[in-house]
Amino acid sequence: MKNGMTIIICTYNGAERLSQTIAHIAAQIVPTSIQWELILADNASSDDTIEMTKLAWEKHNLSHIPLRVISEDVPGKLYALQKAIREASNEYLIICDDDNWLATDYLEKAYNILDTMPEVGAAGGLGIPVTDDAGFPEWFKDYHYAYAVGPQAEKTGVLKPRAILWGAGLATRRSLYLAMYKDYQSFLVESETNVLSAEDTEYCLRLILKGYKLYYDDTLVYWHYIPSFKLTTDFRDQKLIKGFQNSDIILRKYYAAMRARLKTRGRPDIWFALLLIAPFNYLFAFSAKRAEKARNTLFHLLPFNIPTDDISRRIKAFIRD
């Protein structure tokens, strides 16, 4: 693969949102030594997303920068994203949501992080919220994380263990992403509810479990446009918070593996303490969720298998392989 950069936009009926997103991508200030391209992954849109995107890109006179449009008919960002990553011509990637406006130096800074830090599996930046004249409700400051805005860490650097990055503006490597899903496709598709929007969290968890670091840079800036209809308590609770709760059914199985693997790495004393505590936590758990957590923690602590669910068994195999 070429060590250039591919910006990927996944969208569903994004015609009204994409004009500003594309304008900010077109405004990127990129050294001539870095080749780059833009891929629009249309996820079964029924509006004129594709036509509008092509016209918007032509308006910026960037014929030397390829725009490639691909279509994915299976609904769900996960499917559109994975198809776009397979199609990408460059090793380095930026995943740009269709309502993210990248700062003019975003591509260059993301490229430099990935190119100089091979231990970093993914990098993210600072999201700044933007909305219309109605402004933000008072409660927004307490729920900014649900909208992928605000700082993702206290300062620039490697994230603390168990911390993850948002998918908005995420920079990573094509070969690494493909490797994370080569033998074990996403487990999110096995949920009874639609949790495919949590694909960014699952990817970060897989990177961590494989020993890669996640990096936050507060000078890596993007603006997230949030229309007023998304700034209601109903949208917040029923769409965003409920989505997090639904995805937790799958993601907490990864967190159990992280608890057992990361906390005990190089610390046999902690491993032994958890090994003693986990059975008691399981036997005396006051909820099925806490019992599952204790059982799966014990499952990942032991070198052999004990009864558990199929996804946890495959997570353990993923870590081992």
Side-chain angles (χ1 to χ4, degrees):
M1 296 298 299
K2 305 167 186 175
N3 267 8
M5 181 70 77
T6 296
I7 300 177
I8 295 173
I9 303 175
C10 297
T11 188
Y12 168 71
N13 286 347
E16 294 184 0
R17 299 183 295 274
L18 281 165
S19 178
Q20 280 286 351
T21 303
I22 290 172
H24 282 77
I25 292 174
Q28 293 297 298
I29 301 173
V30 184
T32 55
S33 59
I34 302 176
Q35 65 175 15
W36 62 288
E37 66 176 351
L38 172 63
I39 292 180
L40 179 85
D42 178 60
N43 196 196
S45 294
S46 57
D47 64 1
D48 59 346
T49 287
I50 294 177
E51 293 76 11
M52 194 287 304
T53 299
K54 291 178 179 178
L55 289 173
W57 192 246
E58 290 173 1
K59 183 177 71 174
H60 295 287
N61 298 315
L62 290 171
S63 58
H64 61 293
I65 305 297
L67 164 66
R68 299 165 57 202
V69 177
I70 64 173
S71 297
E72 174 52 65
D73 294 332
V74 180
K77 180 184 175 182
L78 173 70
Y79 300 113
L81 176 62
Q82 292 192 339
K83 184 171 184 178
I85 289 175
R86 291 193 298 269
E87 295 281 340
S89 300
N90 300 305
E91 169 66 354
Y92 301 151
L93 310 171
I94 293 173
I95 301 168
C96 178
D97 291 343
D98 62 9
D99 52 10
N100 293 163
W101 304 344
L102 305 181
T104 56
D105 58 359
Y106 203 98
L107 189 154
E108 182 182 10
K109 286 185 174 180
Y111 178 94
N112 288 335
I113 291 170
L114 295 174
D115 204 47
T116 59
M117 301 180 186
E119 73 279 7
V120 169
L126 173 66
I128 300 174
V130 179
T131 190
D132 49 34
D133 294 338
F136 291 96
E138 179 63 25
W139 53 258
F140 183 81
K141 64 181 183 298
D142 297 320
Y143 290 89
H144 63 87
Y145 65 91
Y147 292 86
V149 294
Q152 302 195 59
E154 295 178 358
K155 60 181 180 180
T156 292
V158 174
L159 295 191
K160 296 178 180 178
R162 292 177 59 87
I164 55 127
L165 295 165
W166 303 319
L170 189 76
T172 188
R173 296 176 175 81
R174 177 184 183 272
S175 60
L176 191 53
Y177 189 99
L178 295 178
M180 292 299 106
Y181 292 93
K182 179 177 181 292
D183 298 317
Y184 300 90
Q185 289 303 305
S186 173
F187 301 139
L188 298 174
V189 300
E190 301 177 36
S191 173
E192 295 180 359
T193 56
N194 183 5
V195 297
L196 295 182
S197 60
E199 89 294 330
D200 51 352
T201 302
E202 183 184 45
Y203 178 55
C204 286
L205 294 175
R206 288 192 177 197
L207 289 174
I208 294 169
L209 287 170
K210 282 293 192 179
Y212 290 95
K213 300 182 185 303
L214 303 180
Y215 190 85
Y216 168 67
D217 189 331
D218 61 12
T219 69
L220 199 61
V221 175
Y222 64 90
W223 292 265
H224 181 188
Y225 174 70
I226 308 170
S228 57
F229 79 87
K230 292 185 178 182
L231 293 171
T232 65
T233 54
D234 185 64
F235 183 91
R236 180 197 71 193
D237 296 340
Q238 297 303 314
K239 181 69 173 178
L240 300 180
I241 305 301
K242 193 173 189 304
F244 296 149
Q245 293 170 344
N246 289 340
S247 64
D248 183 62
I249 297 171
I250 303 295
L251 298 178
R252 67 190 183 213
K253 302 179 189 299
Y254 284 97
Y255 282 112
M258 288 175 60
R259 182 168 184 258
R261 299 280 176 155
L262 299 184
K263 291 186 69 173
T264 61
R265 188 173 294 165
R267 293 294 304 272
D269 55 327
I270 296 179
W271 175 86
F272 187 69
L274 284 177
L275 192 64
L276 292 177
I277 294 170
F280 286 97
N281 288 343
Y282 176 74
L283 291 172
F284 299 104
F286 55 81
S287 70
K289 183 177 178 180
R290 290 182 68 88
E292 177 194 357
K293 177 182 177 181
R295 181 198 65 198
N296 285 339
T297 299
L298 183 61
F299 172 74
H300 287 288
L301 286 169
L302 295 171
F304 53 86
N305 289 343
I306 59 174
T308 188
D309 59 273
D310 184 57
I311 290 178
S312 293
R313 284 193 294 269
R314 282 180 283 158
I315 290 174
K316 190 171 186 177
F318 164 80
I319 297 169
R320 183 185 63 240
D321 290 351

